[in-house]
Amino acid sequence: MIGSLAALVLGTLLYGIYTAFGAGSVQLTDQIEEHARLHKLGIAHSHQGQGRAVARGGHSHASHDAMNS
């Protein structure tokens, strides 16, 4: 039982490594890098479609961090 559990964990780990660095990894995007790029363009947090990312006064996210009902 322990051997099969260890094989399952090892297989999952190897599959994750293959997914991250193998042949299919070309299609993956670095989400942090993409977000930083959008910040440089000024469109990272725009939800109104006007192209502005952040209010001029700072980096406040209060408007879309709270859930609207």
Side-chain angles (χ1 to χ4, degrees):
M1 180 155 158
I2 293 174
S4 61
L5 184 60
L8 180 66
V9 169
L10 182 63
T12 304
L13 178 68
L14 291 175
Y15 178 72
I17 291 171
Y18 172 75
T19 303
F21 301 107
S25 67
V26 176
Q27 299 171 359
L28 299 177
T29 59
D30 183 355
Q31 295 297 316
I32 295 172
E33 183 180 322
E34 182 70 13
H35 190 78
R37 185 182 69 81
L38 292 176
H39 265 286
K40 287 180 183 178
L41 294 174
I43 57 174
H45 296 284
S46 176
H47 296 288
Q48 279 75 28
Q50 299 171 349
R52 291 199 49 215
V54 184
R56 292 180 187 249
H59 199 82
S60 175
H61 299 286
S63 64
H64 63 271
D65 283 345
M67 300 224 4
N68 298 329
S69 49

